[in-house]
Amino acid sequence: MIAANRVVLTPSLKVLQSDKIRFEPALPDWKMTAIHRLKMSNAIKVILVFKERFWPEGMWDVVCTDSFIPEFWMTTYPTTDHSQHLRGLCAVVCFIAGEKAERLSASMPPEEMVARSLQQLDDLFATAACRAPATRALHSSHVADWAKEEYVMGAYSFPSHGAEAGDRQALAAPLDGTVFFAGEATHPAINPCMQAAMESGLRAAGEVLAAARPAGSRL
Ligand SMILES: Cc1cc2nc3c(=O)[nH]c(=O)nc-3n(C[C@H](O)[C@H](O)[C@H](O)COP(=O)(O)OP(=O)(O)OC[C@H]3O[C@@H](n4cnc5c(N)ncnc54)[C@H](O)[C@@H]3O)c2cc1C
C-alpha cells in the first residue's frame, strides 16, 4: 500500500466509469455525473506484416469509408542494428475507430478481423497474375484492440451527446485539496490527444503545488 497526502489520478474515462478504482468515501454526485455523461470510444488496429510489397510504390494511405477497414496505412520497416530480422518486410496498418470499433471488439474474434482485412486488400490489389496478393505475402499479424487493454479500456474521449457544458471541468476538479485529476478527458478544449494529456498534467501539478503551499508563502 502507498500512503500519500495528495494523489493525482490520470486513468482514462472508461477506467473511471468502471469499478476498477474504489473510492472511499465515494466520489461526489456532481463528479460521478460528469464521469458518466462524457463518453470514450474505441479504436482497433489490425497490423499485417508482409514479405513483399504488393501495392504501388509511393502509396501510403488508402481510405475506403464504406468498407470493413475504413483506412489503411502502408509502411516499410525501418531497420536498425537490432532489427535486421525485419529487413525487407513491410506492413499495412488497418485502422477502425468509433462505434464500429466498439461493435467489432464485442463481436468479432481477432482472427476474423485479420481474415476480413486480408480479403479487402486482396480485392483491392488483385491482378491477373495473382488474385490474392495480400494472403500470399502475409508474414505475421497482430490485432491491437484498445477496449481490451485492461488499464485503458478505450481510445478517445469525444464530444458526447448528452454531455453538458462544464462536464470536463467537473471531471478535472480536485477534491478537498487531496485528490487531483488529469488525463486527456479532463482537458476542456483539445481532446483527445497527447497535448491534452500533457497540459492536463501540468494543470494538475500546479493545483497540487498550490494546495501544498503553506499559508502566506510567496513561492
Ligand atoms: C490508436 C491510437 C492512436 C493515437 N494517436 C495519437 C496521435 O497520433 N497523437 C496524439 O496526440 N494522440 C494520439 N492518441 C491519443 C493519445 O494516445 C491519448 O489521448 C493519450 O495517451 C491520453 O493520455 P492520458 O494520460 O490521458 O491517458 P493514458 O495514456 O490512457 O494513461 C493513463 C495511465 O493510467 C494507467 N492506469 C489506469 N488505471 C490504473 C490503475 N488502477 N492503477 C495504476 N495505473 C492505472 C494506465 O495504465 C495508463 O498508463 C491515440 C490514441 C490511440 C488509441
Side-chain angles (χ1 to χ4, degrees):
M1 189 175 114
I2 298 172
N5 292 331
R6 294 179 179 81
V7 61
V8 180
L9 293 173
T10 71
S12 72
L13 192 56
K14 283 274 189 187
V15 169
L16 279 176
Q17 288 167 349
S18 75
D19 57 3
K20 283 189 190 299
I21 300 177
R22 203 175 59 239
F23 292 90
E24 289 178 10
L27 294 177
D29 287 349
W30 56 265
K31 175 79 80 179
M32 290 306 289
T33 301
I35 287 172
H36 287 282
R37 264 200 307 237
L38 294 165
K39 296 285 179 284
M40 183 178 191
S41 194
N42 191 25
I44 295 173
K45 283 184 178 173
V46 181
I47 299 153
L48 304 171
V49 179
F50 295 104
K51 290 173 272 198
E52 62 191 20
R53 177 175 55 79
F54 51 84
W55 54 89
E57 191 171 7
M59 178 178 273
W60 305 108
D61 188 7
V62 176
V63 176
C64 338
T65 47
D66 57 353
S67 301
F68 176 69
I69 299 292
E71 186 164 12
F72 299 105
W73 299 304
M74 281 81 169
T75 186
T76 49
Y77 272 90
T79 42
T80 65
D81 287 349
H82 304 294
S83 59
Q84 291 303 315
H85 60 292
L86 300 175
R87 184 172 290 282
L89 298 179
C90 40
V92 173
V93 177
C94 312
F95 186 60
I96 311 168
E99 286 176 4
K100 184 172 188 179
E102 288 190 14
R103 271 200 317 278
L104 289 176
S105 178
S107 63
M108 187 177 281
E111 312 80 63
E112 195 177 339
M113 292 186 206
V114 170
R116 292 280 304 269
S117 305
L118 282 172
Q119 180 66 57
Q120 192 173 327
L121 286 171
D122 283 339
D123 291 345
L124 265 174
F125 295 105
T127 61
C130 181
R131 304 307 304 160
T135 302
R136 191 185 67 175
L138 187 68
H139 172 279
S140 50
S141 63
H142 176 73
V143 175
D145 179 345
W146 271 265
K148 303 254 164 73
E149 293 294 328
E150 186 182 356
Y151 290 106
V152 188
M153 300 176 71
Y156 313 102
S157 74
F158 60 93
S160 324
H161 179 68
E164 294 187 7
D167 278 349
R168 289 188 188 268
Q169 287 85 345
L171 178 64
L175 299 173
D176 301 326
T178 53
V179 185
F180 299 82
F181 294 82
E184 65 87 8
T186 68
H187 198 291
I190 47 166
N191 335 85
C193 60
M194 297 302 298
Q195 187 182 343
M198 186 190 72
E199 288 186 11
S200 75
L202 293 172
R203 187 252 313 138
E207 290 167 351
V208 171
L209 283 176
R213 198 173 287 138
S217 167
R218 295 171 59 202
L219 292 176

